[in-house]
Amino acid sequence: MAIRLTPSAVKHIQTSLSKRGKGIGLRLGVKTSGCSGLAYKIEYADEIHPEDVQFDSDGVLVVVDKKSLLYLDGTRLDYIREGLSEGFKFENPNVRAQCGCGESFTV
Amino acid sequence: MLLQISEPDNPVPKSAPRRAVGIDLGTTHSLVATVYHGVPTILLDDRGRALLPSVVRYAEQNIIVGQEALEMQSRDPANTIVSVKRFMGRALTDLDDMRQFPYQWLDTLGMVRLKTRTGIKNPIEISAEILRVLKERAEAQLGGVLDGAVITVPAYFDDAQRQATKEAAKLIGLDVLRLLNEPTAAAIAYGLDQGTEGIYAVYDLGGGTFDVSILRLSRGVFEVLATHGDSALGGDDFDHRIFCWILEMAALPPLPAEDVRLLLTLSRRAKESLTDNNSVPIIAQLSNKQNIDLTLTTETFTEITAHLIEKTLTPIKRALRDAKLTKDDIQGVVLVGGATRMPQVRRAVAHFFGQPPLVNLNPDEVVALGAAIQANALVGNRKNDDDWLLLDVTPLSLGIETMGGLVEKIVPRNASIPLTKAQDFTTFKDGQTALAIHVVQGERERVEDCRSLARFELHGIPPMVAGAARIRITFQIDADGLLSVSAREQTTSTEASIVVKPSYGLDEAEVTRMLEESMVYAHDDMKARALAESQIETDQLLELTKHALKEDGDLLSSEEYAAIEKALEELLHCRNSNDVEALRRSLAHTNRVTSEFAGRRMDRSVQKALTGKNVHNVV
Amino acid sequence: MRDYYALFSLPRRYTVEREALTAAYHRAQTIAHPDQTAFADEESKRRAINESALINEAYHVLKNPVSRVRHLLQIHGADLAQGRLSVSFLEEQLDAREAAENALQNGDQTRLNDLLNALRRASLQRQIRLAALLDDEHISREALRQAQNIALELQFLERFADDLDEKSGL
């Protein structure tokens, strides 16, 4: 499997989905953005599009479009606490440079 | 920086719907159709015609396809190929009457080949030329490269004929989404048109093939129950009967090719004319100045073709039997194919089924329309409530040659596809490391009476005592009706490597030659495509830039704004010319002129994004 | 071995309602069929072909009375091939086959139709008895043994009927 979710991430996603009340899973992707050009995207997935690839991670459906998958292959998604904030963190072996604001990256 | 899950921002970022078409590659005519704004539509040529005659002429300097080629038939018979579909996946020995075709056949093994003024041609590359014209027509009208096509084949086509069809599409870079059986395509067009559930029979008499399929439509599932046919029976044969009648009545000796073509053409016209008239004159002057002046009546025509109609009833009975149904179970009969316009065909069908057939859709167009509907579905364009499924069957039994030239059936005819069937084999000599399997298609008991599909050679079987090896061969027929084979030695779990020698395939040298030749003609296509693609890119850039100016025009000084507007004007001007180079230059220029603007817009949006954040969230 | 009844969520009995089977078959194919994965990756496409082929196999096995009973017996640990045919049954069959050969040679269509009808009646009788034996949740060893024998008879009768049908009609 190309993208892995840690148990902590899986738990948080499941909770979030049930709180939201709808959605078939999680959609991961990359989009163009500020500093270095690309940024991660985490959204609720409501439907599957023709170019999507699907993974099942411990019962959570993860949906990624083909183009994003090129960048996300081998990535691990974790849900952690850093200081006073908590949220998702991507660990991507493809990433080379990281922009100062920590949000976007270049592969 | 830690992220949170956000709501999906764009509801379905549906890039423009994909471009998919349905192609009816017919014996006599071919058509291309697409689903346009939800409506299945035939794409017309620039003269407003739907039908492209399946005629390919190899002239001195170029290749001519269609009506123009058809008109030159009698004057250049050896180089004007008509009804190429009849030769797809066929060897010289398969063709019954060679005299009716004025081509220079080559005596070769495997698939038939013929000699034209520009070299040796095989049916695959000839069919490819027809597909090429349809592909270009579609791309021109849909504004870009096709994402794929569903191409129809007679339900009774065997594996070799299907492979050949797929190869033809591959040759011109057309992605085949599915090979669809013609009667099934017609059923889709009718089923979705009528919307009534039930069991239907499709009687498809084309130019060169006859198919009958029995389908059930229930809750949006089209399930083919049985299919039968005759892949060498069609409207052409009715023409041929008239031709023979003329020879008889006028007591003619064997004729030169031009005269044969002329009389066949007149025969076809006579057949078509008799649909609406009681008699038709047949008048011609042969190359030796001899005059033909005959009158053919409907009565005579019916008489001399009665046996052909009778021939179509047998497959219907077989299909009903295989489906375990009687003709009373049939709710409706659909007629497909131009040849079903003949009154005696309609009468025979109505009489057999005890009900008038359905003829609301144009019998020439219905197959292409059905294919377009499926292409649209496969490419992901259809809406959620438009849910239907197609379950088809393989028309012929699949078997392997065993001792004594007999066939052991491993897959019965009319089995639902996709299917997999495993069969175990063993070695008969100590240390044997290879095995040969001959696969055939057909219903007969003896190998020589069936169609040879391919010979599979298995290598890499671990050497063992005779009879100890257990080689499991798995036959798979996919949704296109095409066979693939894999093998595994069970006791040691080794995958045997398989060399396939298709009986009617092409060798490498031939494939290389075909590709090289198609490149020459493709050059012109490439230019046209480059233009189309640049035009699309231009439209998008114009749209985006105008939007950007509206939103963030304030980021620019008045000189900068004016410079961008000027570039856009130039771009628009170039877009409507046919000069690819000029358009490309203008695009590059516009991109340069707007890049600074793009940078400023990006900074603005990053600013917007960051200001909303809590200081704790920014690392 | 895959339990085809479970695949379609149908009760494990000899009697299968045609409507229910067809509906389950269509539902399963609507999800698994390769046409639903036209733009997916190669792995998904491969899986779809295999899954769809399995569903087709399951449908046809459960649809046909002989393959159905063979499958059901297997699920209960029995085997149709272990069945035994009575001498009287075998004699009856031999007579019928001889009569069929004659009728075929003489082109006696009436006689052939009579034979076919008789075969169909005999087949239906076997099917009724199989339903009585195999429609329950718990089946005794004795019932299984009897069912094996009757199933083998059914197979004989059906093969004969198919053969006759193929040779006589067209």
Side-chain angles (χ1 to χ4, degrees), chain C residues 27-28 41-43 50-51 86 94 105 113 123 138 143 152 161:
Chain C
R27 257 198 319 270
D41 57 282
E42 284 311 306
E43 187 54 42
N50 289 331
E51 192 62 26
S86 67
L94 278 169
Q105 270 181 17
N113 287 340
S123 166
H138 302 287
L152 190 57

Side-chain angles (χ1 to χ4, degrees), chain C residues 1 10 13 15 21 23 28 33 41 44 79 91-92 98-102 107-108 113 117 123-124 127 131 142 154 156:
Chain C
M1 58 160 261
L10 289 169
R13 312 158 81 216
T15 309
L21 175 61
H33 198 270
D41 57 282
S44 300
D79 186 357
E91 276 178 0
E92 253 176 51
E98 216 182 291
E101 275 306 306
N102 288 336
D108 190 346
N113 287 340
N117 285 333
S123 166
L124 276 170
Q127 293 189 51
E142 177 56 25
L154 179 65
F156 247 71

Side-chain angles (χ1 to χ4, degrees), chain B residues 92-163:
Chain B
L92 211 54
T93 47
D94 295 317
L95 305 176
D96 281 330
D97 188 1
M98 304 312 302
R99 280 178 308 135
Q100 67 169 306
F101 302 110
Y103 311 130
Q104 295 175 55
W105 299 110
L106 290 171
D107 193 3
T108 54
L109 288 174
M111 189 161 31
V112 105
R113 289 169 183 82
L114 49 88
K115 189 149 176 270
T116 68
R117 63 161 62 85
T118 53
I120 298 173
K121 305 290 172 200
N122 62 54
I124 292 177
E125 57 193 312
I126 301 173
S127 297
E129 294 304 329
I130 300 171
L131 288 175
R132 192 198 298 281
V133 170
L134 295 174
K135 176 170 179 268
E136 287 169 3
R137 185 191 295 184
E139 288 180 340
Q141 294 183 34
L142 299 181
V145 178
L146 293 182
D147 290 299
V150 166
I151 304 184
T152 59
V153 289
Y156 220 54
F157 251 20
D158 65 30
D159 195 272
Q161 293 164 306
R162 283 167 200 264
Q163 285 288 4

Side-chain angles (χ1 to χ4, degrees), chain B residues 18 178 216 218-219 221 223 317-318 321 374 378-379 382 389-391 413 416-420 476 478, chain C residues 19 22-23 25-26 29-30 33-36 38-39 49-50 52-53 56 59-60 63 165-166 169-170:
Chain B
R18 291 206 167 95
R178 173 77 67 241
R216 169 171 50 203
S218 108
R219 278 175 305 245
V221 176
E223 190 186 335
K317 293 177 191 158
R318 290 209 170 110
R321 206 208 17 226
Q374 214 213 6
L378 290 179
V379 100
R382 61 175 164 188
L389 180 67
L390 204 55
L391 299 173
R413 66 175 181 271
S416 303
I417 53 178
L419 62 85
T420 51
Q476 183 181 86
D478 64 18
Chain C
E19 265 300 305
T22 309
Y25 170 55
H26 288 175
Q29 284 291 23
T30 304
H33 198 270
D35 281 357
Q36 316 291 48
F39 268 73
I49 293 187
N50 289 331
S52 183
N56 278 331
Y59 174 57
H60 288 289
K63 200 170 163 197
D165 211 13
E166 185 93 15
L170 312 144

Side-chain angles (χ1 to χ4, degrees), chain B residues 201-241:
Chain B
V202 179
Y203 180 103
D204 181 354
L205 188 59
T209 57
F210 172 65
D211 285 324
V212 58
S213 285
I214 313 243
L215 300 99
R216 169 171 50 203
L217 168 57
S218 108
R219 278 175 305 245
V221 176
F222 288 84
E223 190 186 335
V224 177
L225 301 173
T227 193
H228 265 272
D230 190 333
S231 61
L233 171 63
D236 284 1
D237 297 295
F238 287 73
D239 299 343
H240 191 66
R241 280 302 291 134

Side-chain angles (χ1 to χ4, degrees), chain A residues 20-105:
Chain A
R20 183 179 182 249
K22 61 182 171 115
I24 58 175
L26 199 71
R27 175 178 293 284
L28 300 177
V30 295
K31 60 177 190 242
T32 48
S33 132
C35 339
S36 313
L38 293 173
Y40 293 115
K41 182 170 78 165
I42 307 181
E43 292 169 1
Y44 291 102
D46 283 329
E47 54 200 313
I48 305 195
H49 306 150
E51 320 84 41
D52 287 341
V53 176
Q54 307 167 41
F55 306 99
D56 180 308
S57 187
D58 288 333
V60 173
L61 179 68
V62 176
V63 178
V64 189
D65 67 278
K66 273 216 181 98
K67 289 196 207 111
S68 298
L69 192 57
L70 287 170
Y71 298 113
L72 293 175
D73 202 10
T75 300
R76 196 176 80 131
L77 184 63
D78 197 2
Y79 189 83
I80 61 172
R81 195 160 270 170
E82 264 180 16
L84 288 172
S85 63
E86 57 178 70
F88 288 97
K89 189 175 175 118
F90 281 88
E91 275 157 11
N92 188 339
N94 299 314
V95 170
R96 278 192 283 125
Q98 197 128 352
C99 151
C101 61
E103 196 183 326
S104 50
F105 59 92

